[in-house]
Amino acid sequence: MAATTTPDEATRIHTNYASYSGKAESQATLAESADGCSREDGDDGRAGGAEGEGRAHKGLSAGLAALFLLAEMAGAGILNLPRAVANTGWGGLPLMVVLALAVGFAGTRLGMCWVLLEDRWPQYRTPCRRPYPAIARRALGIPGQVVAEASVLFTLFGASTVYLLLAVQMTHSLLSHYVPTLSPCAWCLILGVLLCPTTWFSTPKDFWGAPVLALGATLLACLVVLSEVVVQRDTHEPPLFPSPTFHSVFLGFGAILFALGGASLFPTIQNDMKDRSQFPHSVILTFLVLLAVYLPFSSICYGLLGDNGVPDNILQAVSGPAVTVTQSFILCHFLFAFSVVINPINQALEGAFKMSNDFGVRRVAMRTCTMVVVVLVGFTIPDFSKILDLIGGSTVTLMSFVLPPLCYLRLNASSELDGQPHRVLPMWEVVVLWVIVVLGVMGGVASTWSALSAIIDGQSFNSTCFSPHTFCA
């Protein structure tokens, strides 16, 4: 019998095992868990860990989960969003709506995937260290798990580099008057050295205020930029609105997806919820708020400044004391976020090399090497927008458009003990999910190609930090 997979149905499924005991864990705690899902993933049976183990009566509500989603998603991407709209032209605004609806719908189904895992495999009712790869493992097998793991780590590595380069850009903007001899490349090396010791330690546990402060800094940046753009509009050149090209459109596609990307964190935040079946409501609320912020912000900036007046970082288009204060807040956010985002990469590498969780020389050496690689990538591609476009068009597209529908379709189609599918989905839902997959594959391939073309362009190699002239400029 056909059945729709609505949040109400998720609630009904979830009420079968709604009473758990144990201590709630924050995202940082889950990331640092020594076991998580890694132990149970090798067990294909339905009987896993203790059913009542590891969950709490208290956890995130749907509204608070949406707040955490907003804090994680509305970050570096929003600073590049007006440039993304400039690359796509006015058509970028409806494109943003379409992509938000597609990613949001796929995100609700990704949340339902976790509800299905808890329903069929009781061991997943305990806190999970890597929930997205766990979903991919149960839905698509070991190849799916490997793809999900690699996509998450590649996205986090790219995001770490973007955060570092944005911090470099803002540090240079704030301090260039005081130390004019230091170039952005020199600041990249300095910040890399200063941030390296912060990566040696575990992520701060239960620091629940950090995402809220990050979201506040982002919203403050939006308000300051909008007000300054309106006030200073007469100081800019008349706006130009040239027709976008194929190359620029798909660069904008990747940048918009980066601003909407966050699917890799969806299951992690869902794991912190008291009622995880309510996660689809959190996703819907998150994307409604994102559109309410993104659309007016990007359209006003692009409309008043035009293609010729919108830089890669919109904060560079305005000036004044309010902008300086805002840059300081955003800089602090990026510096803190860098250590948090790079931590799962270090943990994954330490796990691959079977290193102890204790602090020691091996941990310092491993994490220092990771930092060196990040700085080298920053030296090679000092333009953060190119990395942002590449990540948005490749792994973010894969985790937001392709994997959620495929995992959801596969989990519902998997056979029960009687040989029948677990749940038969209505035809409209199947069609919508496949359309999202096709849209993601086509857009992702074109966007990734455009981003790679921009990175390997001959002129790009002239702007790397490996040249003494560039480094000292």
Side-chain angles (χ1 to χ4, degrees):
M1 182 176 66
T4 59
T5 53
T6 63
D8 291 336
E9 183 180 4
T11 304
R12 179 184 60 78
I13 296 172
H14 198 268
T15 52
N16 294 331
Y17 44 84
S19 298
Y20 296 128
S21 62
K23 185 177 184 296
E25 295 189 11
S26 68
Q27 296 174 53
T29 307
L30 294 176
E32 293 172 354
S33 172
D35 293 324
C37 293
S38 57
R39 181 183 64 246
E40 296 87 2
D41 280 350
D43 178 14
D44 290 331
R46 289 174 179 258
E51 184 170 339
E53 181 181 347
R55 290 296 187 188
H57 296 289
K58 294 182 179 181
L60 296 179
S61 64
L64 193 55
L67 179 63
F68 274 80
L69 288 173
L70 285 169
E72 297 291 348
M73 297 173 65
I78 197 171
L79 300 180
N80 187 246
L81 199 57
R83 182 67 254 171
V85 173
N87 284 335
T88 55
W90 287 112
L93 297 178
L95 175 63
M96 190 186 305
V97 175
V98 171
L99 293 181
L101 292 176
V103 175
F105 185 79
T108 63
R109 272 43 199 169
L110 184 61
M112 286 296 302
C113 285
W114 189 259
V115 175
L116 292 173
L117 255 67
E118 290 193 359
D119 183 31
R120 303 189 67 181
W121 294 281
Q123 64 265 37
Y124 293 111
R125 300 171 194 174
T126 61
C128 183
R129 180 182 179 184
R130 299 185 301 276
Y132 204 130
I135 292 173
R137 168 67 183 268
R138 291 301 183 183
L140 305 175
I142 294 179
Q145 181 185 13
V146 172
V147 170
E149 290 269 18
S151 298
V152 170
L153 294 178
F154 186 75
T155 301
L156 291 175
F157 182 85
S160 301
T161 310
V162 168
Y163 282 136
L164 176 62
L165 292 177
L166 278 169
V168 165
Q169 188 181 87
M170 293 185 181
T171 302
H172 181 259
S173 176
L174 291 170
L175 300 180
S176 60
H177 178 72
Y178 305 99
V179 279
T181 58
L182 293 180
S183 67
C185 294
W187 278 116
C188 184
L189 180 60
I190 292 172
L191 288 183
V193 172
L194 294 178
L195 285 172
C196 188
T198 69
T199 67
W200 297 342
F201 305 98
S202 299
T203 303
K205 293 183 179 182
D206 300 317
F207 193 45
W208 295 85
V212 179
L213 295 176
L215 179 60
T218 301
L219 295 179
L220 175 64
C222 292
L223 292 175
V224 169
V225 168
L226 286 179
S227 60
E228 294 296 336
V229 164
V230 173
V231 171
Q232 301 176 17
R233 63 184 183 277
D234 294 334
T235 64
H236 296 278
E237 297 181 0
L240 300 177
F241 304 99
S243 300
T245 64
F246 177 88
H247 178 72
S248 68
V249 165
F250 284 102
L251 284 179
F253 180 93
I256 291 173
L257 271 182
F258 188 93
L260 295 171
S264 61
L265 297 170
F266 283 8
T268 302
I269 295 177
Q270 184 180 17
N271 259 254
D272 275 341
M273 296 181 67
K274 178 181 179 181
D275 184 356
R276 290 162 297 288
S277 66
Q278 296 298 309
F279 185 72
H281 297 300
S282 303
V283 174
I284 293 171
L285 178 59
T286 297
F287 279 90
L288 288 177
V289 174
L290 285 178
L291 284 178
V293 175
Y294 284 178
L295 287 175
F297 178 72
S298 53
S299 60
I300 292 174
C301 291
Y302 178 57
L304 293 179
L305 300 177
D307 179 80
N308 55 316
V310 175
D312 291 333
N313 181 353
I314 191 59
L315 284 173
Q316 292 186 315
V318 291
S319 59
V323 177
T324 301
V325 173
T326 302
Q327 284 183 321
S328 301
F329 280 114
I330 295 292
L331 174 60
C332 293
H333 162 52
F334 286 153
L335 293 176
F336 177 82
F338 176 86
S339 300
V340 175
V341 170
I342 202 173
N343 194 63
I345 303 174
N346 289 322
Q347 289 181 337
L349 291 174
E350 290 163 1
F353 287 96
K354 302 184 184 305
M355 294 173 57
S356 170
N357 291 325
D358 298 331
F359 182 85
V361 175
R362 294 186 65 192
R363 170 190 276 193
V364 171
M366 173 67 73
R367 298 193 175 202
T368 300
C369 290
T370 304
M371 189 71 200
V372 169
V373 175
V374 172
V375 172
L376 288 177
V377 173
F379 275 7
T380 307
I381 313 172
D383 186 351
F384 81 92
S385 65
K386 293 180 180 179
I387 300 176
L388 186 148
D389 294 338
L390 176 62
I391 298 300
S394 57
T395 53
V396 171
T397 300
L398 181 64
M399 291 187 296
S400 300
F401 272 86
V402 181
L403 288 180
L406 292 181
C407 289
Y408 184 66
L409 290 169
R410 184 66 186 88
L411 286 173
N412 281 283
S414 58
S415 300
E416 293 285 0
L417 296 178
D418 58 3
Q420 298 299 315
H422 183 71
R423 184 179 292 105
V424 178
L425 301 177
M427 183 57 64
W428 70 266
E429 189 173 10
V430 175
V431 171
V432 169
L433 291 172
W434 278 112
V435 168
I436 293 175
V437 171
V438 173
L439 176 63
V441 170
M442 295 176 59
V445 170
S447 180
T448 302
W449 175 257
S450 298
L452 287 174
S453 299
I455 290 174
I456 64 177
D457 181 79
Q459 296 181 351
S460 298
F461 291 104
N462 297 328
S463 62
T464 67
C465 295
F466 291 106
S467 168
H469 173 73
T470 305
F471 190 90
C472 301

PDB file of all heavy atoms in Angstrom, residues 441-453:
ATOM      1  N   VAL A 441      23.215  16.240 -10.679  1.00  0.00           N
ATOM      2  CA  VAL A 441      24.309  15.672 -11.472  1.00  0.00           C
ATOM      3  C   VAL A 441      24.688  16.620 -12.608  1.00  0.00           C
ATOM      4  O   VAL A 441      25.874  16.930 -12.817  1.00  0.00           O
ATOM      5  CB  VAL A 441      23.908  14.299 -12.027  1.00  0.00           C
ATOM      6  CG1 VAL A 441      24.935  13.811 -13.038  1.00  0.00           C
ATOM      7  CG2 VAL A 441      23.769  13.285 -10.892  1.00  0.00           C
ATOM      8  N   MET A 442      23.699  17.108 -13.357  1.00  0.00           N
ATOM      9  CA  MET A 442      23.996  17.985 -14.495  1.00  0.00           C
ATOM     10  C   MET A 442      24.622  19.300 -14.030  1.00  0.00           C
ATOM     11  O   MET A 442      25.641  19.746 -14.562  1.00  0.00           O
ATOM     12  CB  MET A 442      22.711  18.251 -15.283  1.00  0.00           C
ATOM     13  CG  MET A 442      22.126  17.014 -15.943  1.00  0.00           C
ATOM     14  SD  MET A 442      20.541  17.349 -16.776  1.00  0.00           S
ATOM     15  CE  MET A 442      21.034  18.604 -17.955  1.00  0.00           C
ATOM     16  N   GLY A 443      24.003  19.931 -13.036  1.00  0.00           N
ATOM     17  CA  GLY A 443      24.533  21.190 -12.538  1.00  0.00           C
ATOM     18  C   GLY A 443      25.878  21.023 -11.859  1.00  0.00           C
ATOM     19  O   GLY A 443      26.763  21.865 -11.996  1.00  0.00           O
ATOM     20  N   GLY A 444      26.041  19.917 -11.117  1.00  0.00           N
ATOM     21  CA  GLY A 444      27.293  19.687 -10.414  1.00  0.00           C
ATOM     22  C   GLY A 444      28.460  19.459 -11.358  1.00  0.00           C
ATOM     23  O   GLY A 444      29.555  19.988 -11.148  1.00  0.00           O
ATOM     24  N   VAL A 445      28.239  18.670 -12.405  1.00  0.00           N
ATOM     25  CA  VAL A 445      29.314  18.414 -13.371  1.00  0.00           C
ATOM     26  C   VAL A 445      29.717  19.710 -14.072  1.00  0.00           C
ATOM     27  O   VAL A 445      30.913  20.025 -14.181  1.00  0.00           O
ATOM     28  CB  VAL A 445      28.866  17.358 -14.403  1.00  0.00           C
ATOM     29  CG1 VAL A 445      29.867  17.273 -15.548  1.00  0.00           C
ATOM     30  CG2 VAL A 445      28.706  15.996 -13.730  1.00  0.00           C
ATOM     31  N   ALA A 446      28.732  20.481 -14.545  1.00  0.00           N
ATOM     32  CA  ALA A 446      29.045  21.735 -15.235  1.00  0.00           C
ATOM     33  C   ALA A 446      29.704  22.738 -14.292  1.00  0.00           C
ATOM     34  O   ALA A 446      30.653  23.436 -14.677  1.00  0.00           O
ATOM     35  CB  ALA A 446      27.769  22.326 -15.844  1.00  0.00           C
ATOM     36  N   SER A 447      29.217  22.805 -13.062  1.00  0.00           N
ATOM     37  CA  SER A 447      29.775  23.756 -12.098  1.00  0.00           C
ATOM     38  C   SER A 447      31.193  23.366 -11.700  1.00  0.00           C
ATOM     39  O   SER A 447      32.078  24.225 -11.591  1.00  0.00           O
ATOM     40  CB  SER A 447      28.880  23.821 -10.859  1.00  0.00           C
ATOM     41  OG  SER A 447      29.390  24.723  -9.910  1.00  0.00           O
ATOM     42  N   THR A 448      31.433  22.076 -11.489  1.00  0.00           N
ATOM     43  CA  THR A 448      32.778  21.621 -11.139  1.00  0.00           C
ATOM     44  C   THR A 448      33.757  21.890 -12.270  1.00  0.00           C
ATOM     45  O   THR A 448      34.896  22.334 -12.035  1.00  0.00           O
ATOM     46  CB  THR A 448      32.756  20.118 -10.812  1.00  0.00           C
ATOM     47  OG1 THR A 448      31.841  19.876  -9.730  1.00  0.00           O
ATOM     48  CG2 THR A 448      34.135  19.629 -10.409  1.00  0.00           C
ATOM     49  N   TRP A 449      33.338  21.641 -13.503  1.00  0.00           N
ATOM     50  CA  TRP A 449      34.199  21.908 -14.648  1.00  0.00           C
ATOM     51  C   TRP A 449      34.522  23.397 -14.749  1.00  0.00           C
ATOM     52  O   TRP A 449      35.671  23.771 -14.995  1.00  0.00           O
ATOM     53  CB  TRP A 449      33.535  21.427 -15.928  1.00  0.00           C
ATOM     54  CG  TRP A 449      34.311  21.772 -17.161  1.00  0.00           C
ATOM     55  CD1 TRP A 449      34.055  22.773 -18.065  1.00  0.00           C
ATOM     56  CD2 TRP A 449      35.495  21.124 -17.626  1.00  0.00           C
ATOM     57  NE1 TRP A 449      34.999  22.793 -19.050  1.00  0.00           N
ATOM     58  CE2 TRP A 449      35.904  21.787 -18.812  1.00  0.00           C
ATOM     59  CE3 TRP A 449      36.256  20.051 -17.151  1.00  0.00           C
ATOM     60  CZ2 TRP A 449      37.035  21.402 -19.527  1.00  0.00           C
ATOM     61  CZ3 TRP A 449      37.382  19.666 -17.879  1.00  0.00           C
ATOM     62  CH2 TRP A 449      37.757  20.342 -19.041  1.00  0.00           C
ATOM     63  N   SER A 450      33.528  24.245 -14.545  1.00  0.00           N
ATOM     64  CA  SER A 450      33.754  25.691 -14.605  1.00  0.00           C
ATOM     65  C   SER A 450      34.710  26.135 -13.510  1.00  0.00           C
ATOM     66  O   SER A 450      35.602  26.968 -13.731  1.00  0.00           O
ATOM     67  CB  SER A 450      32.421  26.439 -14.478  1.00  0.00           C
ATOM     68  OG  SER A 450      31.548  26.134 -15.550  1.00  0.00           O
ATOM     69  N   ALA A 451      34.551  25.584 -12.302  1.00  0.00           N
ATOM     70  CA  ALA A 451      35.423  25.958 -11.191  1.00  0.00           C
ATOM     71  C   ALA A 451      36.855  25.493 -11.431  1.00  0.00           C
ATOM     72  O   ALA A 451      37.812  26.231 -11.177  1.00  0.00           O
ATOM     73  CB  ALA A 451      34.889  25.375  -9.888  1.00  0.00           C
ATOM     74  N   LEU A 452      37.008  24.259 -11.928  1.00  0.00           N
ATOM     75  CA  LEU A 452      38.350  23.756 -12.212  1.00  0.00           C
ATOM     76  C   LEU A 452      39.008  24.563 -13.334  1.00  0.00           C
ATOM     77  O   LEU A 452      40.221  24.831 -13.289  1.00  0.00           O
ATOM     78  CB  LEU A 452      38.282  22.280 -12.598  1.00  0.00           C
ATOM     79  CG  LEU A 452      38.002  21.296 -11.465  1.00  0.00           C
ATOM     80  CD1 LEU A 452      37.807  19.885 -12.012  1.00  0.00           C
ATOM     81  CD2 LEU A 452      39.129  21.310 -10.440  1.00  0.00           C
ATOM     82  N   SER A 453      38.221  24.959 -14.324  1.00  0.00           N
ATOM     83  CA  SER A 453      38.770  25.771 -15.410  1.00  0.00           C
ATOM     84  C   SER A 453      39.280  27.101 -14.888  1.00  0.00           C
ATOM     85  O   SER A 453      40.323  27.598 -15.325  1.00  0.00           O
ATOM     86  CB  SER A 453      37.695  26.000 -16.488  1.00  0.00           C
ATOM     87  OG  SER A 453      37.268  24.771 -17.045  1.00  0.00           O
TER      88      SER A 453
END
